[in-house]
Amino acid sequence: TLIPGVRDADSLRTMFSTALSEMYKKEVPLYDELLSIVAKVDDQIASGPLPARHRIERHGAIRLGTAQEMQTIARLFALLNMHAVDYYDLSLVGFPLHATAFRPLTGEALSRNPFRVFTSLLRLDLLPAETSSLAQQVLGKRKIFSDRLLELLDQAETTGLTNSEQEAELLEEALKIFKWHATAQTSYDFYKQLNSVHPMVADIACFPSAHINHLTPRTLDIDQVQEAMQIHGVPAKDRIEGPPRRRCDILLRQTSFQALEERVHFVDEDGNVTVSHHTARFGEVEQRGAAVTRKGRDLYDTLLEKADSIIESKGTAGHGINDDWQRALQEAFSEFPDTWAELRDQRLVYFRYIPVTAPNAPLLEAEGQALKLSELLDCGLIKYEAITYEDFLPISAAGIFTSNLKGFSNTKRKESKGNRSLLEQALPTKILDSTALYEQLEAESIETCRKALGLLAI
Ligand code: OOG
Ligand code: NI
């Protein structure tokens, strides 16, 4: 459904993501340092100009407590042209959370700025009854959205925001949702009680905002960034998540550095203050590759499990050590084709097809005819490039979550199907399927070629 909204959602999204980044730089200086490292590495690698979206590309993550909060966040993100894509079940690794990612959908919006926010929601239904009711008590009282923000949302949806002052105000009020607060909204005892059930429950329910817990720039070479982080003393996580280093990048490789220990003031009902610590925020970096088809994804999942069993059978120190892990991944993924031609022939990756219309391109005598894609590629009238993966990986996300919780480790996968309809009820919209979106981008590119070459059909 179309709502009046804002004048230019794509520009506003860029302004918002820039403002968030500026705020986070001040809150977490190591994030600023990471940005410098990434810029240096990427400058050395880039042979030509990078796509416009590259320098501004990042994702963030927040964790919400109630369906009501999820619904309001969805309204805000919709104004920035960001919509819920894919369901992530974190109970798979023992977290009482499920998630979706809000992101732009169309090729045009993605090329302007692919900013995404991985947004988790606490699953009260998975908590022991007593914990659930304690959490609900404090969550019911907190207000992460200002009254002014709610007014502006209403206005945007009914009459639309029509000038830059209103839009600037929307961003300013929106930023407050993501800001860190060093004073908890509960006592320390209450915090400890929730923390002992699961650290995520305390992280969400005891604080007055949905603090952004990381922002992640994209790099062209995550191995180099990981090395540079270690040299600069940035406490990087010891294992890079996702597929191994390849000639043809697929999906998403990620690494993070450990959360800061933040000093937090806890205040009890009588006004007594306890000063203690909480680990809430961290840094992360990612390298993105091609979006894979369902067949490609099945192969990825199978080979990831194979790498797991290689590591287990070798009885090495386990998953922690990156070199061993990367070797196991390399071994397992030798079965995943690593040339674009093979990846295309075997339909493992989605591609964008581009008509070749250079002046010296071969003449097409076939105007008005129906030709096969393979014929058009053979005679050089069409070229192709991989479509970038814009989403996340649940097992990697679990690794990121876990590595940033002090003294909490849980990598064993559990049987779980999640509860997608519960999250959809909160939104309340259907969650879109990323595979269908990639399929559509590919199909649209073929249609563009057909028109450009004046063909009847491809
Ligand atoms: C989100 C972790 C998931 C990613 O990049 O996979 C994530 C969180 O810690 O809240 O951001
Ligand atoms: Ni992340």
Side-chain angles (χ1 to χ4, degrees):
T1 47
L2 272 177
I3 51 168
V6 296
R7 292 171 309 162
D8 177 357
D10 293 328
S11 299
L12 207 60
R13 180 172 64 260
T14 293
M15 285 165 69
F16 178 64
S17 128
T18 307
L20 257 186
S21 182
E22 290 307 313
M23 181 177 87
Y24 203 60
K25 273 184 200 171
K26 289 188 201 118
E27 290 185 349
V28 183
L30 269 183
Y31 165 69
D32 202 4
E33 195 172 328
L34 174 70
L35 292 185
S36 315
I37 292 176
V38 167
K40 226 184 256 164
V41 166
D42 286 4
D43 280 344
Q44 275 166 14
I45 293 168
S47 45
L50 290 164
R53 66 176 241 180
H54 183 82
R55 291 280 178 218
I56 53 171
E57 177 162 354
R58 62 183 73 94
H59 83 251
I62 53 171
R63 301 161 186 162
L64 301 174
T66 65
Q68 187 59 49
E69 291 174 357
M70 189 54 126
Q71 186 180 341
T72 307
I73 274 290
R75 290 170 63 200
L76 171 68
F77 286 148
L79 293 178
L80 305 178
N81 226 346
M82 297 159 75
H83 306 277
V85 177
D86 283 356
Y87 177 78
Y88 299 91
D89 173 20
L90 282 322
S91 70
L92 215 61
V93 276
F95 284 68
L97 299 174
H98 51 187
T100 187
F102 290 92
R103 67 152 169 99
L105 306 179
T106 64
E108 160 68 11
L110 287 164
S111 72
R112 291 279 299 278
N113 184 342
F115 183 55
R116 340 161 167 80
V117 179
F118 190 94
T119 306
S120 307
L121 177 62
L122 186 61
R123 280 189 63 185
L124 293 162
D125 62 312
L126 291 184
L127 298 177
E130 194 202 353
T131 316
S132 166
S133 87
L134 284 178
Q136 282 181 68
Q137 262 170 42
V138 281
L139 286 168
K141 273 188 271 175
R142 80 170 181 177
K143 281 181 64 181
I144 64 173
F145 308 103
S146 70
D147 291 338
R148 184 61 188 142
L149 179 74
L150 297 174
E151 265 171 38
L152 287 163
L153 286 182
D154 283 341
Q155 192 181 339
E157 289 167 354
T158 50
T159 57
L161 300 187
T162 50
N163 62 59
S164 58
E165 285 78 42
Q166 291 170 345
E167 290 172 355
E169 211 189 341
L170 178 80
L171 295 191
E172 193 185 315
E173 294 300 318
L175 269 188
K176 293 179 185 167
I177 309 167
F178 304 98
K179 204 175 153 40
W180 169 248
H181 294 267
T183 302
Q185 58 162 4
T186 67
S187 71
Y188 187 51
D189 282 342
F190 192 94
Y191 171 86
K192 278 193 296 191
Q193 200 178 341
L194 294 193
N195 199 60
S196 68
V197 176
H198 197 289
M200 281 297 145
V201 188
D203 180 63
I204 295 170
C206 296
F207 294 88
S209 69
H211 53 262
I212 191 116
N213 65 53
H214 65 281
L215 274 182
T216 305
R218 177 177 174 186
T219 179
L220 299 172
D221 190 332
I222 198 169
D223 299 290
Q224 274 194 49
V225 172
Q226 171 95 341
E227 221 180 286
M229 284 204 287
Q230 278 152 357
I231 291 168
H232 286 77
V234 179
K237 173 177 179 313
D238 49 21
R239 160 172 159 175
I240 296 177
E241 301 286 347
R245 188 180 185 89
R246 294 162 46 87
R247 273 193 300 273
C248 302
D249 288 335
I250 51 165
L251 296 166
L252 173 65
R253 302 184 70 210
Q254 296 166 283
T255 182
S256 62
F257 53 83
Q258 249 113 58
L260 304 174
E261 280 247 299
E262 334 250 5
R263 264 163 71 90
V264 176
H265 286 71
F266 295 90
V267 188
D268 72 13
E269 273 127 49
D270 304 324
N272 301 315
V273 176
T274 310
V275 179
S276 187
H277 293 94
H278 177 67
T279 49
R281 298 172 304 166
F282 58 98
E284 185 193 32
V285 59
E286 67 186 14
Q287 180 177 345
R288 288 186 177 264
V292 299
T293 60
R294 271 189 226 289
K295 183 179 167 200
R297 181 53 185 268
D298 287 344
L299 184 56
Y300 171 77
D301 288 338
T302 306
L303 298 182
L304 196 63
E305 271 179 38
K306 190 170 166 193
D308 260 337
S309 39
I310 291 172
I311 277 285
E312 260 157 45
S313 71
K314 291 199 171 140
T316 49
H319 298 188
I321 312 303
N322 195 44
D323 286 351
D324 289 345
W325 174 243
Q326 294 302 325
R327 260 194 297 278
L329 275 178
Q330 289 288 356
E331 190 180 327
F333 275 75
S334 60
E335 282 176 48
F336 207 120
D338 200 10
T339 64
W340 295 122
E342 283 172 288
L343 291 166
R344 207 190 74 84
D345 286 345
Q346 297 183 32
R347 291 197 155 279
L348 291 164
V349 160
Y350 287 111
F351 290 96
R352 177 178 300 107
Y353 294 92
I354 303 156
V356 177
T357 48
N360 56 353
L363 271 182
L364 183 62
E365 293 141 15
E367 212 162 298
Q369 289 191 37
L371 285 177
K372 286 202 185 102
L373 203 51
S374 56
E375 294 169 329
L376 292 161
L377 288 167
D378 285 346
C379 69
L381 280 164
I382 284 182
K383 57 182 185 174
Y384 60 89
E385 61 186 25
I387 293 176
T388 299
Y389 187 61
E390 307 286 355
D391 296 284
F392 297 87
L393 296 167
I395 304 294
S396 299
I400 303 280
F401 269 109
T402 315
S403 71
N404 287 289
L405 289 180
K406 275 264 159 63
F408 183 90
S409 103
N410 190 348
T411 50
K412 275 273 157 291
R413 287 169 222 174
K414 297 187 165 67
E415 275 306 313
S416 166
K417 289 197 224 54
N419 193 341
R420 176 190 284 258
S421 64
L422 190 66
L423 189 57
E424 290 183 334
Q425 271 166 42
L427 285 164
T429 54
K430 282 256 171 259
I431 295 170
L432 299 168
D433 169 31
S434 65
T435 306
L437 293 169
Y438 295 122
E439 223 160 73
Q440 193 182 333
L441 288 178
E442 187 178 274
E444 280 168 8
S445 76
I446 294 174
E447 177 58 12
T448 302
C449 290
R450 188 194 67 75
K451 283 197 187 131
L453 300 173
L455 295 169
L456 183 65
I458 294 184

